[in-house]
Amino acid sequence: DGGITQSPKYLFRKEGQNVTLSCEQNLNHDAMYWYRQDPGQGLRLIYYSQIVNDFQKGDIAEGYSVSREKKESFPLTVTSAQKNPTAFYLCASNRDRDQPQHFGDGTRLSIL
Amino acid sequence: QQPVQSPQAVILREGEDAVINCSSSKALYSVHWYRQKHGEAPVFLMILLKGGEQKGHDKISASFNEKKQQSSLYLTASQLSYSGTYFCGTAVISNFGNEKLTFGTGTRLTIIP
């Protein structure tokens, strides 16, 4: 079955450390997205990519970086510049804007 | 720019109806509706495109009033499985082909037996 796979499910970051969250999809979708969700809050867009080798900043891109070298993969790096990284991170993809976004199961990031 | 959802929370008895509203201050191209259960990924419910068409399946339907930049989600004869947080995501009309969605802060729906 096709879908989106996020790993790891839980991740712990030490102070000053960069960590990378993985997102892989086998749906052949062109667009991919990263969202951050804080307790009791909605989804806030970090970065998105509509085609390979191209991506745009979302509403809260500071302290994060991404790459899109392959259509299937859209990893997110949480850098040490992100001072409050504790959150639930969701990756999504869709074929185009008229199609629903499919979400992965998320990665929960915490600070040690 | 974030759409406003109302109510923020609602508690219903099984079998009652609910309406969740989503309003934007910008001209909308589409509205997406998702439901998220605690600790899980959001699940797609439906998309409404510019044109004001009402969509639905089973006991969940939605409308989109593009003149008012508003959408409403209707849940009839609610079931226990309807519990969760409902989010609307809006895509604005843009000359730059902006494909992103902006999500509201959600409406928490609790169904009790």
Side-chain angles (χ1 to χ4, degrees), chain A residues 35 37 41-43 45 48 50 59 88 90 97-101 103-104 108, chain B residues 29 32 34 36 39-42 44 47 49 87 98-101 103-104:
Chain A
Y35 295 94
Q37 187 173 34
Q41 299 296 312
L43 306 171
L45 184 65
Y48 63 109
Q50 297 172 13
D59 300 316
F88 187 46
L90 286 159
R97 66 177 177 177
D98 293 350
Q99 301 299 317
Q101 291 191 12
F103 286 84
R108 200 167 295 278
Chain B
Y29 172 81
H32 296 218
Y34 294 81
Q36 184 180 31
E40 299 180 5
F44 169 74
I47 290 177
L49 303 179
F87 293 101
N98 191 329
E99 310 289 349
K100 66 177 185 176
L101 289 181
F103 285 89

PDB file of all heavy atoms in Angstrom, chain A residues 35 37 41-43 45 48 50 59 88 90 97-101 103-104 108, chain B residues 29 32 34 36 39-42 44 47 49 87 98-101 103-104:
ATOM      1  N   TYR A  35       4.813  20.296   8.771  1.00  0.00           N
ATOM      2  CA  TYR A  35       4.045  21.089   9.711  1.00  0.00           C
ATOM      3  C   TYR A  35       4.559  20.839  11.122  1.00  0.00           C
ATOM      4  O   TYR A  35       5.037  19.757  11.452  1.00  0.00           O
ATOM      5  CB  TYR A  35       2.564  20.702   9.678  1.00  0.00           C
ATOM      6  CG  TYR A  35       1.860  21.003   8.381  1.00  0.00           C
ATOM      7  CD1 TYR A  35       1.741  20.039   7.391  1.00  0.00           C
ATOM      8  CD2 TYR A  35       1.302  22.262   8.157  1.00  0.00           C
ATOM      9  CE1 TYR A  35       1.080  20.304   6.210  1.00  0.00           C
ATOM     10  CE2 TYR A  35       0.624  22.540   6.978  1.00  0.00           C
ATOM     11  CZ  TYR A  35       0.523  21.563   6.006  1.00  0.00           C
ATOM     12  OH  TYR A  35      -0.133  21.839   4.840  1.00  0.00           O
ATOM     13  N   GLN A  37       3.098  21.029  15.123  1.00  0.00           N
ATOM     14  CA  GLN A  37       1.885  21.130  15.926  1.00  0.00           C
ATOM     15  C   GLN A  37       2.275  21.168  17.400  1.00  0.00           C
ATOM     16  O   GLN A  37       2.956  20.261  17.889  1.00  0.00           O
ATOM     17  CB  GLN A  37       0.937  19.965  15.649  1.00  0.00           C
ATOM     18  CG  GLN A  37      -0.407  20.104  16.333  1.00  0.00           C
ATOM     19  CD  GLN A  37      -1.391  19.029  15.919  1.00  0.00           C
ATOM     20  OE1 GLN A  37      -1.025  17.890  15.665  1.00  0.00           O
ATOM     21  NE2 GLN A  37      -2.670  19.382  15.842  1.00  0.00           N
ATOM     22  N   GLN A  41      -2.891  23.136  19.618  1.00  0.00           N
ATOM     23  CA  GLN A  41      -2.801  24.114  18.539  1.00  0.00           C
ATOM     24  C   GLN A  41      -3.050  23.465  17.186  1.00  0.00           C
ATOM     25  O   GLN A  41      -3.058  22.255  17.041  1.00  0.00           O
ATOM     26  CB  GLN A  41      -1.400  24.754  18.541  1.00  0.00           C
ATOM     27  CG  GLN A  41      -1.070  25.499  19.809  1.00  0.00           C
ATOM     28  CD  GLN A  41      -1.978  26.677  20.027  1.00  0.00           C
ATOM     29  OE1 GLN A  41      -2.212  27.493  19.128  1.00  0.00           O
ATOM     30  NE2 GLN A  41      -2.533  26.788  21.223  1.00  0.00           N
ATOM     31  N   GLY A  42      -3.215  24.293  16.201  1.00  0.00           N
ATOM     32  CA  GLY A  42      -3.370  23.821  14.833  1.00  0.00           C
ATOM     33  C   GLY A  42      -2.036  23.486  14.214  1.00  0.00           C
ATOM     34  O   GLY A  42      -1.006  23.421  14.888  1.00  0.00           O
ATOM     35  N   LEU A  43      -2.058  23.273  12.910  1.00  0.00           N
ATOM     36  CA  LEU A  43      -0.853  22.930  12.164  1.00  0.00           C
ATOM     37  C   LEU A  43      -0.245  24.194  11.577  1.00  0.00           C
ATOM     38  O   LEU A  43      -0.938  24.957  10.899  1.00  0.00           O
ATOM     39  CB  LEU A  43      -1.203  21.970  11.027  1.00  0.00           C
ATOM     40  CG  LEU A  43      -1.959  20.701  11.438  1.00  0.00           C
ATOM     41  CD1 LEU A  43      -2.429  19.952  10.206  1.00  0.00           C
ATOM     42  CD2 LEU A  43      -1.071  19.824  12.283  1.00  0.00           C
ATOM     43  N   LEU A  45       2.767  25.690   9.077  1.00  0.00           N
ATOM     44  CA  LEU A  45       3.610  25.245   7.974  1.00  0.00           C
ATOM     45  C   LEU A  45       5.046  25.717   8.150  1.00  0.00           C
ATOM     46  O   LEU A  45       5.298  26.913   8.334  1.00  0.00           O
ATOM     47  CB  LEU A  45       3.035  25.762   6.651  1.00  0.00           C
ATOM     48  CG  LEU A  45       3.733  25.332   5.381  1.00  0.00           C
ATOM     49  CD1 LEU A  45       3.610  23.824   5.188  1.00  0.00           C
ATOM     50  CD2 LEU A  45       3.150  26.065   4.175  1.00  0.00           C
ATOM     51  N   TYR A  48       7.604  23.863   2.411  1.00  0.00           N
ATOM     52  CA  TYR A  48       6.930  23.010   1.463  1.00  0.00           C
ATOM     53  C   TYR A  48       7.687  22.994   0.145  1.00  0.00           C
ATOM     54  O   TYR A  48       8.457  23.915  -0.152  1.00  0.00           O
ATOM     55  CB  TYR A  48       5.469  23.408   1.261  1.00  0.00           C
ATOM     56  CG  TYR A  48       5.219  24.778   0.681  1.00  0.00           C
ATOM     57  CD1 TYR A  48       4.736  24.932  -0.621  1.00  0.00           C
ATOM     58  CD2 TYR A  48       5.415  25.927   1.439  1.00  0.00           C
ATOM     59  CE1 TYR A  48       4.480  26.179  -1.139  1.00  0.00           C
ATOM     60  CE2 TYR A  48       5.159  27.177   0.925  1.00  0.00           C
ATOM     61  CZ  TYR A  48       4.678  27.302  -0.360  1.00  0.00           C
ATOM     62  OH  TYR A  48       4.433  28.562  -0.880  1.00  0.00           O
ATOM     63  N   GLN A  50       7.148  21.894  -4.073  1.00  0.00           N
ATOM     64  CA  GLN A  50       6.219  21.490  -5.128  1.00  0.00           C
ATOM     65  C   GLN A  50       6.890  20.623  -6.178  1.00  0.00           C
ATOM     66  O   GLN A  50       6.217  19.883  -6.901  1.00  0.00           O
ATOM     67  CB  GLN A  50       5.605  22.734  -5.776  1.00  0.00           C
ATOM     68  CG  GLN A  50       4.780  23.562  -4.797  1.00  0.00           C
ATOM     69  CD  GLN A  50       4.341  24.887  -5.375  1.00  0.00           C
ATOM     70  OE1 GLN A  50       4.429  25.131  -6.553  1.00  0.00           O
ATOM     71  NE2 GLN A  50       3.855  25.769  -4.515  1.00  0.00           N
ATOM     72  N   ASP A  59       5.321  29.485   7.217  1.00  0.00           N
ATOM     73  CA  ASP A  59       5.099  30.573   8.167  1.00  0.00           C
ATOM     74  C   ASP A  59       6.112  30.600   9.313  1.00  0.00           C
ATOM     75  O   ASP A  59       6.294  31.630   9.954  1.00  0.00           O
ATOM     76  CB  ASP A  59       3.683  30.460   8.741  1.00  0.00           C
ATOM     77  CG  ASP A  59       2.630  30.539   7.644  1.00  0.00           C
ATOM     78  OD1 ASP A  59       2.772  31.403   6.759  1.00  0.00           O
ATOM     79  OD2 ASP A  59       1.690  29.721   7.656  1.00  0.00           O
ATOM     80  N   PHE A  88       5.157  18.238  17.947  1.00  0.00           N
ATOM     81  CA  PHE A  88       4.786  17.097  17.108  1.00  0.00           C
ATOM     82  C   PHE A  88       4.950  17.556  15.664  1.00  0.00           C
ATOM     83  O   PHE A  88       4.377  18.573  15.268  1.00  0.00           O
ATOM     84  CB  PHE A  88       3.332  16.721  17.421  1.00  0.00           C
ATOM     85  CG  PHE A  88       2.844  15.464  16.769  1.00  0.00           C
ATOM     86  CD1 PHE A  88       3.596  14.308  16.776  1.00  0.00           C
ATOM     87  CD2 PHE A  88       1.587  15.421  16.184  1.00  0.00           C
ATOM     88  CE1 PHE A  88       3.134  13.134  16.200  1.00  0.00           C
ATOM     89  CE2 PHE A  88       1.101  14.250  15.603  1.00  0.00           C
ATOM     90  CZ  PHE A  88       1.879  13.109  15.609  1.00  0.00           C
ATOM     91  N   LEU A  90       4.645  16.877  11.606  1.00  0.00           N
ATOM     92  CA  LEU A  90       3.895  16.102  10.631  1.00  0.00           C
ATOM     93  C   LEU A  90       4.359  16.421   9.224  1.00  0.00           C
ATOM     94  O   LEU A  90       4.533  17.579   8.856  1.00  0.00           O
ATOM     95  CB  LEU A  90       2.400  16.412  10.745  1.00  0.00           C
ATOM     96  CG  LEU A  90       1.694  15.817  11.962  1.00  0.00           C
ATOM     97  CD1 LEU A  90       0.410  16.566  12.249  1.00  0.00           C
ATOM     98  CD2 LEU A  90       1.401  14.338  11.737  1.00  0.00           C
ATOM     99  N   ARG A  97      -2.944  21.030  -5.718  1.00  0.00           N
ATOM    100  CA  ARG A  97      -3.696  21.746  -4.689  1.00  0.00           C
ATOM    101  C   ARG A  97      -5.168  21.348  -4.639  1.00  0.00           C
ATOM    102  O   ARG A  97      -5.867  21.673  -3.692  1.00  0.00           O
ATOM    103  CB  ARG A  97      -3.575  23.249  -4.909  1.00  0.00           C
ATOM    104  CG  ARG A  97      -4.229  23.766  -6.173  1.00  0.00           C
ATOM    105  CD  ARG A  97      -4.124  25.274  -6.251  1.00  0.00           C
ATOM    106  NE  ARG A  97      -4.686  25.780  -7.491  1.00  0.00           N
ATOM    107  CZ  ARG A  97      -4.777  27.075  -7.777  1.00  0.00           C
ATOM    108  NH1 ARG A  97      -4.336  27.967  -6.929  1.00  0.00           N
ATOM    109  NH2 ARG A  97      -5.299  27.457  -8.917  1.00  0.00           N
ATOM    110  N   ASP A  98      -5.669  20.687  -5.666  1.00  0.00           N
ATOM    111  CA  ASP A  98      -7.057  20.242  -5.653  1.00  0.00           C
ATOM    112  C   ASP A  98      -7.228  18.867  -5.018  1.00  0.00           C
ATOM    113  O   ASP A  98      -8.335  18.337  -4.967  1.00  0.00           O
ATOM    114  CB  ASP A  98      -7.612  20.186  -7.083  1.00  0.00           C
ATOM    115  CG  ASP A  98      -7.723  21.558  -7.701  1.00  0.00           C
ATOM    116  OD1 ASP A  98      -7.556  22.554  -6.966  1.00  0.00           O
ATOM    117  OD2 ASP A  98      -7.958  21.640  -8.916  1.00  0.00           O
ATOM    118  N   GLN A  99      -6.143  18.301  -4.571  1.00  0.00           N
ATOM    119  CA  GLN A  99      -6.170  16.963  -3.987  1.00  0.00           C
ATOM    120  C   GLN A  99      -5.898  17.024  -2.483  1.00  0.00           C
ATOM    121  O   GLN A  99      -5.226  17.940  -2.002  1.00  0.00           O
ATOM    122  CB  GLN A  99      -5.121  16.072  -4.662  1.00  0.00           C
ATOM    123  CG  GLN A  99      -5.316  15.930  -6.156  1.00  0.00           C
ATOM    124  CD  GLN A  99      -6.648  15.305  -6.497  1.00  0.00           C
ATOM    125  OE1 GLN A  99      -7.073  14.345  -5.863  1.00  0.00           O
ATOM    126  NE2 GLN A  99      -7.321  15.857  -7.486  1.00  0.00           N
ATOM    127  N   PRO A 100      -6.414  16.050  -1.734  1.00  0.00           N
ATOM    128  CA  PRO A 100      -6.180  16.068  -0.279  1.00  0.00           C
ATOM    129  C   PRO A 100      -4.721  15.842   0.062  1.00  0.00           C
ATOM    130  O   PRO A 100      -3.988  15.186  -0.686  1.00  0.00           O
ATOM    131  CB  PRO A 100      -7.045  14.908   0.225  1.00  0.00           C
ATOM    132  CG  PRO A 100      -7.255  14.035  -0.951  1.00  0.00           C
ATOM    133  CD  PRO A 100      -7.259  14.930  -2.151  1.00  0.00           C
ATOM    134  N   GLN A 101      -4.326  16.364   1.209  1.00  0.00           N
ATOM    135  CA  GLN A 101      -2.992  16.096   1.722  1.00  0.00           C
ATOM    136  C   GLN A 101      -3.054  14.799   2.541  1.00  0.00           C
ATOM    137  O   GLN A 101      -3.918  14.638   3.395  1.00  0.00           O
ATOM    138  CB  GLN A 101      -2.503  17.260   2.589  1.00  0.00           C
ATOM    139  CG  GLN A 101      -2.227  18.519   1.776  1.00  0.00           C
ATOM    140  CD  GLN A 101      -1.507  19.589   2.564  1.00  0.00           C
ATOM    141  OE1 GLN A 101      -0.996  19.351   3.650  1.00  0.00           O
ATOM    142  NE2 GLN A 101      -1.450  20.789   2.011  1.00  0.00           N
ATOM    143  N   PHE A 103      -1.133  12.529   5.298  1.00  0.00           N
ATOM    144  CA  PHE A 103      -0.188  12.775   6.380  1.00  0.00           C
ATOM    145  C   PHE A 103       0.507  11.499   6.823  1.00  0.00           C
ATOM    146  O   PHE A 103      -0.082  10.406   6.805  1.00  0.00           O
ATOM    147  CB  PHE A 103      -0.908  13.378   7.590  1.00  0.00           C
ATOM    148  CG  PHE A 103      -1.302  14.812   7.409  1.00  0.00           C
ATOM    149  CD1 PHE A 103      -2.473  15.159   6.761  1.00  0.00           C
ATOM    150  CD2 PHE A 103      -0.480  15.835   7.886  1.00  0.00           C
ATOM    151  CE1 PHE A 103      -2.836  16.484   6.586  1.00  0.00           C
ATOM    152  CE2 PHE A 103      -0.838  17.166   7.725  1.00  0.00           C
ATOM    153  CZ  PHE A 103      -2.015  17.486   7.074  1.00  0.00           C
ATOM    154  N   GLY A 104       1.771  11.664   7.267  1.00  0.00           N
ATOM    155  CA  GLY A 104       2.458  10.596   7.956  1.00  0.00           C
ATOM    156  C   GLY A 104       1.995  10.539   9.405  1.00  0.00           C
ATOM    157  O   GLY A 104       1.184  11.357   9.850  1.00  0.00           O
ATOM    158  N   ARG A 108       7.521  12.898  17.267  1.00  0.00           N
ATOM    159  CA  ARG A 108       7.427  13.727  18.478  1.00  0.00           C
ATOM    160  C   ARG A 108       8.842  14.038  18.942  1.00  0.00           C
ATOM    161  O   ARG A 108       9.600  13.133  19.308  1.00  0.00           O
ATOM    162  CB  ARG A 108       6.642  13.005  19.556  1.00  0.00           C
ATOM    163  CG  ARG A 108       6.074  13.915  20.623  1.00  0.00           C
ATOM    164  CD  ARG A 108       5.038  13.204  21.482  1.00  0.00           C
ATOM    165  NE  ARG A 108       3.850  12.816  20.741  1.00  0.00           N
ATOM    166  CZ  ARG A 108       2.834  13.625  20.475  1.00  0.00           C
ATOM    167  NH1 ARG A 108       2.853  14.862  20.886  1.00  0.00           N
ATOM    168  NH2 ARG A 108       1.781  13.171  19.811  1.00  0.00           N
TER     169      ARG A 108
ATOM    170  N   TYR B  29      -9.528  29.992  -2.547  1.00  0.00           N
ATOM    171  CA  TYR B  29      -9.623  29.096  -3.690  1.00  0.00           C
ATOM    172  C   TYR B  29     -10.264  27.774  -3.273  1.00  0.00           C
ATOM    173  O   TYR B  29     -11.049  27.200  -4.012  1.00  0.00           O
ATOM    174  CB  TYR B  29      -8.232  28.842  -4.280  1.00  0.00           C
ATOM    175  CG  TYR B  29      -8.226  27.789  -5.341  1.00  0.00           C
ATOM    176  CD1 TYR B  29      -8.604  28.086  -6.646  1.00  0.00           C
ATOM    177  CD2 TYR B  29      -7.866  26.471  -5.046  1.00  0.00           C
ATOM    178  CE1 TYR B  29      -8.622  27.115  -7.624  1.00  0.00           C
ATOM    179  CE2 TYR B  29      -7.888  25.496  -6.028  1.00  0.00           C
ATOM    180  CZ  TYR B  29      -8.263  25.829  -7.300  1.00  0.00           C
ATOM    181  OH  TYR B  29      -8.294  24.854  -8.272  1.00  0.00           O
ATOM    182  N   HIS B  32     -10.173  22.818   2.868  1.00  0.00           N
ATOM    183  CA  HIS B  32     -10.006  21.397   3.175  1.00  0.00           C
ATOM    184  C   HIS B  32     -10.469  21.176   4.612  1.00  0.00           C
ATOM    185  O   HIS B  32     -10.219  22.012   5.486  1.00  0.00           O
ATOM    186  CB  HIS B  32      -8.534  20.988   3.092  1.00  0.00           C
ATOM    187  CG  HIS B  32      -7.916  21.110   1.739  1.00  0.00           C
ATOM    188  ND1 HIS B  32      -7.007  20.191   1.249  1.00  0.00           N
ATOM    189  CD2 HIS B  32      -8.047  22.039   0.764  1.00  0.00           C
ATOM    190  CE1 HIS B  32      -6.613  20.548   0.055  1.00  0.00           C
ATOM    191  NE2 HIS B  32      -7.225  21.669  -0.275  1.00  0.00           N
ATOM    192  N   TYR B  34     -10.234  18.319   7.858  1.00  0.00           N
ATOM    193  CA  TYR B  34      -9.553  17.148   8.387  1.00  0.00           C
ATOM    194  C   TYR B  34     -10.025  16.904   9.818  1.00  0.00           C
ATOM    195  O   TYR B  34     -10.429  17.832  10.517  1.00  0.00           O
ATOM    196  CB  TYR B  34      -8.028  17.350   8.414  1.00  0.00           C
ATOM    197  CG  TYR B  34      -7.404  17.455   7.044  1.00  0.00           C
ATOM    198  CD1 TYR B  34      -7.426  18.650   6.346  1.00  0.00           C
ATOM    199  CD2 TYR B  34      -6.805  16.355   6.447  1.00  0.00           C
ATOM    200  CE1 TYR B  34      -6.872  18.754   5.084  1.00  0.00           C
ATOM    201  CE2 TYR B  34      -6.241  16.442   5.180  1.00  0.00           C
ATOM    202  CZ  TYR B  34      -6.280  17.649   4.511  1.00  0.00           C
ATOM    203  OH  TYR B  34      -5.729  17.746   3.263  1.00  0.00           O
ATOM    204  N   GLN B  36      -8.626  14.993  13.399  1.00  0.00           N
ATOM    205  CA  GLN B  36      -7.442  14.416  14.059  1.00  0.00           C
ATOM    206  C   GLN B  36      -7.832  13.883  15.435  1.00  0.00           C
ATOM    207  O   GLN B  36      -8.414  14.610  16.238  1.00  0.00           O
ATOM    208  CB  GLN B  36      -6.341  15.471  14.207  1.00  0.00           C
ATOM    209  CG  GLN B  36      -5.051  14.931  14.787  1.00  0.00           C
ATOM    210  CD  GLN B  36      -3.985  16.008  14.927  1.00  0.00           C
ATOM    211  OE1 GLN B  36      -4.291  17.181  15.153  1.00  0.00           O
ATOM    212  NE2 GLN B  36      -2.726  15.627  14.788  1.00  0.00           N
ATOM    213  N   GLY B  39      -2.993  12.389  19.341  1.00  0.00           N
ATOM    214  CA  GLY B  39      -1.739  11.683  19.109  1.00  0.00           C
ATOM    215  C   GLY B  39      -1.605  11.039  17.745  1.00  0.00           C
ATOM    216  O   GLY B  39      -0.607  10.356  17.472  1.00  0.00           O
ATOM    217  N   GLU B  40      -2.589  11.266  16.876  1.00  0.00           N
ATOM    218  CA  GLU B  40      -2.556  10.647  15.550  1.00  0.00           C
ATOM    219  C   GLU B  40      -2.431  11.697  14.456  1.00  0.00           C
ATOM    220  O   GLU B  40      -2.504  12.898  14.705  1.00  0.00           O
ATOM    221  CB  GLU B  40      -3.826   9.815  15.334  1.00  0.00           C
ATOM    222  CG  GLU B  40      -3.987   8.677  16.328  1.00  0.00           C
ATOM    223  CD  GLU B  40      -5.251   7.874  16.080  1.00  0.00           C
ATOM    224  OE1 GLU B  40      -5.954   8.137  15.079  1.00  0.00           O
ATOM    225  OE2 GLU B  40      -5.543   6.981  16.900  1.00  0.00           O
ATOM    226  N   ALA B  41      -2.255  11.236  13.237  1.00  0.00           N
ATOM    227  CA  ALA B  41      -2.182  12.141  12.091  1.00  0.00           C
ATOM    228  C   ALA B  41      -3.580  12.597  11.693  1.00  0.00           C
ATOM    229  O   ALA B  41      -4.555  11.876  11.888  1.00  0.00           O
ATOM    230  CB  ALA B  41      -1.517  11.437  10.921  1.00  0.00           C
ATOM    231  N   PRO B  42      -3.704  13.775  11.130  1.00  0.00           N
ATOM    232  CA  PRO B  42      -5.008  14.222  10.611  1.00  0.00           C
ATOM    233  C   PRO B  42      -5.464  13.313   9.473  1.00  0.00           C
ATOM    234  O   PRO B  42      -4.656  12.829   8.684  1.00  0.00           O
ATOM    235  CB  PRO B  42      -4.722  15.632  10.096  1.00  0.00           C
ATOM    236  CG  PRO B  42      -3.487  16.067  10.820  1.00  0.00           C
ATOM    237  CD  PRO B  42      -2.686  14.822  11.013  1.00  0.00           C
ATOM    238  N   PHE B  44      -8.102  13.082   6.185  1.00  0.00           N
ATOM    239  CA  PHE B  44      -8.858  13.911   5.246  1.00  0.00           C
ATOM    240  C   PHE B  44     -10.346  13.599   5.284  1.00  0.00           C
ATOM    241  O   PHE B  44     -10.751  12.435   5.321  1.00  0.00           O
ATOM    242  CB  PHE B  44      -8.307  13.673   3.838  1.00  0.00           C
ATOM    243  CG  PHE B  44      -9.150  14.251   2.737  1.00  0.00           C
ATOM    244  CD1 PHE B  44      -9.158  15.617   2.510  1.00  0.00           C
ATOM    245  CD2 PHE B  44      -9.932  13.440   1.942  1.00  0.00           C
ATOM    246  CE1 PHE B  44      -9.927  16.156   1.502  1.00  0.00           C
ATOM    247  CE2 PHE B  44     -10.700  13.968   0.933  1.00  0.00           C
ATOM    248  CZ  PHE B  44     -10.699  15.323   0.712  1.00  0.00           C
ATOM    249  N   ILE B  47     -12.736  18.199   0.414  1.00  0.00           N
ATOM    250  CA  ILE B  47     -12.256  19.452  -0.148  1.00  0.00           C
ATOM    251  C   ILE B  47     -13.421  20.155  -0.816  1.00  0.00           C
ATOM    252  O   ILE B  47     -14.223  19.519  -1.507  1.00  0.00           O
ATOM    253  CB  ILE B  47     -11.171  19.220  -1.213  1.00  0.00           C
ATOM    254  CG1 ILE B  47      -9.885  18.712  -0.589  1.00  0.00           C
ATOM    255  CG2 ILE B  47     -10.865  20.515  -1.965  1.00  0.00           C
ATOM    256  CD1 ILE B  47      -8.819  18.415  -1.610  1.00  0.00           C
ATOM    257  N   LEU B  49     -14.005  23.330  -3.445  1.00  0.00           N
ATOM    258  CA  LEU B  49     -13.335  24.268  -4.336  1.00  0.00           C
ATOM    259  C   LEU B  49     -14.217  25.482  -4.588  1.00  0.00           C
ATOM    260  O   LEU B  49     -15.439  25.439  -4.415  1.00  0.00           O
ATOM    261  CB  LEU B  49     -12.999  23.591  -5.665  1.00  0.00           C
ATOM    262  CG  LEU B  49     -12.133  22.338  -5.572  1.00  0.00           C
ATOM    263  CD1 LEU B  49     -11.893  21.766  -6.953  1.00  0.00           C
ATOM    264  CD2 LEU B  49     -10.798  22.660  -4.916  1.00  0.00           C
ATOM    265  N   PHE B  87     -10.085  20.348  11.850  1.00  0.00           N
ATOM    266  CA  PHE B  87      -9.342  21.486  11.324  1.00  0.00           C
ATOM    267  C   PHE B  87      -9.818  21.835   9.924  1.00  0.00           C
ATOM    268  O   PHE B  87     -10.052  20.930   9.106  1.00  0.00           O
ATOM    269  CB  PHE B  87      -7.846  21.164  11.239  1.00  0.00           C
ATOM    270  CG  PHE B  87      -7.172  20.969  12.554  1.00  0.00           C
ATOM    271  CD1 PHE B  87      -6.901  19.701  13.036  1.00  0.00           C
ATOM    272  CD2 PHE B  87      -6.786  22.066  13.315  1.00  0.00           C
ATOM    273  CE1 PHE B  87      -6.272  19.516  14.256  1.00  0.00           C
ATOM    274  CE2 PHE B  87      -6.146  21.890  14.538  1.00  0.00           C
ATOM    275  CZ  PHE B  87      -5.896  20.614  15.000  1.00  0.00           C
ATOM    276  N   ASN B  98       0.384  30.101  -5.300  1.00  0.00           N
ATOM    277  CA  ASN B  98       0.654  29.636  -3.948  1.00  0.00           C
ATOM    278  C   ASN B  98      -0.180  28.404  -3.629  1.00  0.00           C
ATOM    279  O   ASN B  98      -1.387  28.445  -3.655  1.00  0.00           O
ATOM    280  CB  ASN B  98       0.316  30.761  -2.961  1.00  0.00           C
ATOM    281  CG  ASN B  98       0.816  30.459  -1.568  1.00  0.00           C
ATOM    282  OD1 ASN B  98       0.895  29.318  -1.159  1.00  0.00           O
ATOM    283  ND2 ASN B  98       1.165  31.492  -0.842  1.00  0.00           N
ATOM    284  N   GLU B  99       0.497  27.279  -3.356  1.00  0.00           N
ATOM    285  CA  GLU B  99      -0.205  26.024  -3.163  1.00  0.00           C
ATOM    286  C   GLU B  99      -0.425  25.673  -1.707  1.00  0.00           C
ATOM    287  O   GLU B  99      -0.962  24.634  -1.401  1.00  0.00           O
ATOM    288  CB  GLU B  99       0.605  24.891  -3.811  1.00  0.00           C
ATOM    289  CG  GLU B  99       1.048  25.153  -5.226  1.00  0.00           C
ATOM    290  CD  GLU B  99      -0.109  25.127  -6.201  1.00  0.00           C
ATOM    291  OE1 GLU B  99      -1.203  24.701  -5.801  1.00  0.00           O
ATOM    292  OE2 GLU B  99       0.078  25.522  -7.355  1.00  0.00           O
ATOM    293  N   LYS B 100       0.027  26.513  -0.786  1.00  0.00           N
ATOM    294  CA  LYS B 100       0.011  26.066   0.598  1.00  0.00           C
ATOM    295  C   LYS B 100      -1.350  26.256   1.242  1.00  0.00           C
ATOM    296  O   LYS B 100      -2.164  27.073   0.828  1.00  0.00           O
ATOM    297  CB  LYS B 100       1.047  26.844   1.415  1.00  0.00           C
ATOM    298  CG  LYS B 100       0.748  28.321   1.571  1.00  0.00           C
ATOM    299  CD  LYS B 100       1.788  28.989   2.446  1.00  0.00           C
ATOM    300  CE  LYS B 100       1.413  30.441   2.708  1.00  0.00           C
ATOM    301  NZ  LYS B 100       2.355  31.103   3.634  1.00  0.00           N
ATOM    302  N   LEU B 101      -1.597  25.435   2.266  1.00  0.00           N
ATOM    303  CA  LEU B 101      -2.779  25.562   3.104  1.00  0.00           C
ATOM    304  C   LEU B 101      -2.405  26.255   4.406  1.00  0.00           C
ATOM    305  O   LEU B 101      -1.307  26.062   4.922  1.00  0.00           O
ATOM    306  CB  LEU B 101      -3.340  24.193   3.454  1.00  0.00           C
ATOM    307  CG  LEU B 101      -4.031  23.370   2.367  1.00  0.00           C
ATOM    308  CD1 LEU B 101      -4.523  22.056   2.956  1.00  0.00           C
ATOM    309  CD2 LEU B 101      -5.175  24.138   1.740  1.00  0.00           C
ATOM    310  N   PHE B 103      -3.934  26.398   8.205  1.00  0.00           N
ATOM    311  CA  PHE B 103      -4.906  25.707   9.032  1.00  0.00           C
ATOM    312  C   PHE B 103      -5.410  26.581  10.173  1.00  0.00           C
ATOM    313  O   PHE B 103      -4.674  27.409  10.723  1.00  0.00           O
ATOM    314  CB  PHE B 103      -4.294  24.424   9.614  1.00  0.00           C
ATOM    315  CG  PHE B 103      -4.175  23.311   8.619  1.00  0.00           C
ATOM    316  CD1 PHE B 103      -3.039  23.174   7.838  1.00  0.00           C
ATOM    317  CD2 PHE B 103      -5.201  22.400   8.460  1.00  0.00           C
ATOM    318  CE1 PHE B 103      -2.919  22.149   6.912  1.00  0.00           C
ATOM    319  CE2 PHE B 103      -5.101  21.367   7.538  1.00  0.00           C
ATOM    320  CZ  PHE B 103      -3.958  21.248   6.762  1.00  0.00           C
ATOM    321  N   GLY B 104      -6.678  26.367  10.528  1.00  0.00           N
ATOM    322  CA  GLY B 104      -7.241  26.992  11.707  1.00  0.00           C
ATOM    323  C   GLY B 104      -6.750  26.305  12.973  1.00  0.00           C
ATOM    324  O   GLY B 104      -6.042  25.295  12.899  1.00  0.00           O
TER     325      GLY B 104
END
